[in-house]
Amino acid sequence: MKITKIERFIIYPILIGLLILFAFFDLNITHALYNPTSIYGRIGENLAEMPFQLLCVFACCLLFKYRNKSSKLVNILWGALFLFLALFFSGYSGGRLISYSKNYGWSKALRWGLAVGISILHFVIGGVCAYFAKIDNPRKAVAFSLFVLIMWVGSFLMMNIFKFFWHRPRWRYIVTLEGNPDQYFVPVYILGCNGNLSSNFASFPSGHTINAIGVISVSLLGYILPKFDKSSFLLRLFAYIWAILCAISRIIVGAHFATDVTAGFLLGFLLFDLMSTFFYPFFMKKVEETPQKKSV
């Protein structure tokens, strides 16, 4: 189910209004919330992106399940590709934990153990859900899965393009510099592009928030699993709440400012709105019109 008019009339004005408001109070909000040792902040840092990654694993497993089997070679090639992608997204979630937890004081064995466990858990859950999903129209499952993966790619590209042009320093990096941290603060309306892609200068927009709101794609499950059709709004509501909680956690650990997370929410929501309104119906129609080849 695509975004409703009521949701657009409420969410877009609120996000744009907050983005303007926070542009004047970014520093004040950060001073009030910053706590680099916060457990809540660390939980958000590690878990924010995982639901979207899990959804991507599920999508890859669906593509593996309903892959083209018109010939033995085609069957093997598509199967290998989708299996690789499922493993990639599973490993991506675990790998991010290794990166985020390097300053927690955890042992290397603990960090890697948790990362491997999370990766395996993602792969198993995604695979089991795809295997037992009772889908009457495999073509719709393919369309849904490709939508999820394109949504992820779009989020990734959009996030990094903005980060490159803004080049905004993170607060947790700023506080490590000599002198008063406030003097190094860069307002959101100042672009500082200089070609440096260091993570310390990747504050705007919040990638965690973009990925957190990306899980809103799960609200399209009703297209392939009718029993979820009436739950579409509740699934989107979960995505909104999840993104807000994750956004706050990013400010707390000093990874982003309030404008960064608001922009991340806005960009992720806009991308989903455009894709679900224009791309998905068109793509679904094309998939259904494509003649189905017989399996061998």
Side-chain angles (χ1 to χ4, degrees):
M1 181 179 179
K2 63 183 181 181
I3 301 297
T4 64
K5 291 182 179 180
I6 295 178
E7 286 177 271
R8 292 192 186 104
F9 290 150
I10 294 175
I11 294 177
Y12 281 122
I14 289 178
L15 291 175
I16 294 173
L18 288 176
L19 190 59
I20 296 173
L21 180 65
F22 290 158
F24 298 97
F25 296 99
D26 254 346
L27 197 55
N28 304 77
I29 295 172
T30 293
H31 279 310
L33 297 180
Y34 180 58
N35 180 8
T37 61
S38 167
I39 299 299
Y40 168 63
R42 290 183 175 182
I43 291 175
E45 184 167 54
N46 287 284
L47 298 185
E49 300 173 299
M50 287 189 184
F52 194 23
Q53 307 304 328
L54 179 57
L55 185 60
C56 288
V57 175
F58 172 67
C60 292
C61 291
L62 281 179
L63 289 172
F64 178 86
K65 180 180 180 180
Y66 297 115
R67 66 190 182 278
N68 186 339
K69 300 178 182 178
S70 57
S71 71
K72 185 175 181 180
L73 178 61
V74 170
N75 182 19
I76 293 174
L77 290 177
W78 282 119
L81 173 62
F82 298 137
L83 179 60
F84 168 79
L85 290 175
L87 290 170
F88 166 78
F89 285 110
S90 299
Y92 184 86
S93 289
R96 301 303 286 172
L97 182 141
I98 294 175
S99 175
Y100 299 141
S101 62
K102 62 183 178 181
N103 297 320
Y104 294 174
W106 295 354
S107 67
K108 186 176 181 180
L110 176 60
R111 291 168 58 209
W112 278 89
L114 287 174
V116 171
I118 288 173
S119 297
I120 294 175
L121 192 62
H122 273 64
F123 187 78
V124 171
I125 293 176
V128 169
C129 289
Y131 180 80
F132 287 104
K134 297 180 179 179
I135 298 174
D136 296 329
N137 191 332
R139 293 179 176 182
K140 287 187 176 183
V142 171
F144 166 81
S145 301
L146 291 177
F147 176 93
V148 171
L149 297 184
I150 293 172
M151 180 77 181
W152 186 89
V153 172
S155 300
F156 180 83
L157 292 176
M158 179 173 59
M159 168 186 69
N160 284 287
I161 289 172
F162 274 94
K163 285 181 181 293
F164 175 82
F165 284 103
W166 251 260
H167 191 69
R168 192 183 194 190
R170 301 182 190 269
W171 182 251
R172 64 185 179 192
Y173 166 72
I174 290 176
V175 296
T176 65
L177 303 177
E178 295 183 2
N180 182 7
D182 291 5
Q183 66 179 315
Y184 300 106
F185 168 75
V186 179
V188 68
Y189 45 81
I190 296 179
L191 279 68
C193 176
N194 64 4
N196 189 335
L197 295 180
S198 167
S199 176
N200 292 328
F201 294 88
S203 187
F204 183 90
S206 168
H208 272 67
T209 308
I210 291 178
N211 278 286
I213 193 63
V215 77
I216 195 175
S217 302
V218 76
S219 64
L220 297 178
L221 269 179
Y223 282 115
I224 61 174
L225 296 170
K227 65 180 180 179
F228 285 97
D229 190 40
K230 295 182 179 180
S231 304
S232 295
F233 177 74
L234 292 178
L235 291 173
R236 287 204 304 279
L237 183 61
F238 161 75
Y240 298 149
I241 295 174
W242 179 256
I244 292 172
L245 293 175
C246 294
I248 295 173
S249 74
R250 299 306 284 156
I251 302 174
I252 290 175
V253 296
H256 297 285
F257 298 98
T259 48
D260 302 332
V261 297
T262 304
F265 195 117
L266 177 60
L267 291 172
F269 180 79
L270 176 62
L271 179 62
F272 175 79
D273 190 12
L274 292 175
M275 285 187 59
S276 62
T277 301
F278 300 105
F279 170 77
Y280 193 55
F282 169 80
F283 190 63
M284 182 73 78
K285 183 179 179 181
K286 289 296 181 182
V287 169
E288 292 179 342
E289 290 176 350
T290 303
Q292 187 173 7
K293 297 182 180 181
K294 295 181 179 180
S295 300
V296 294

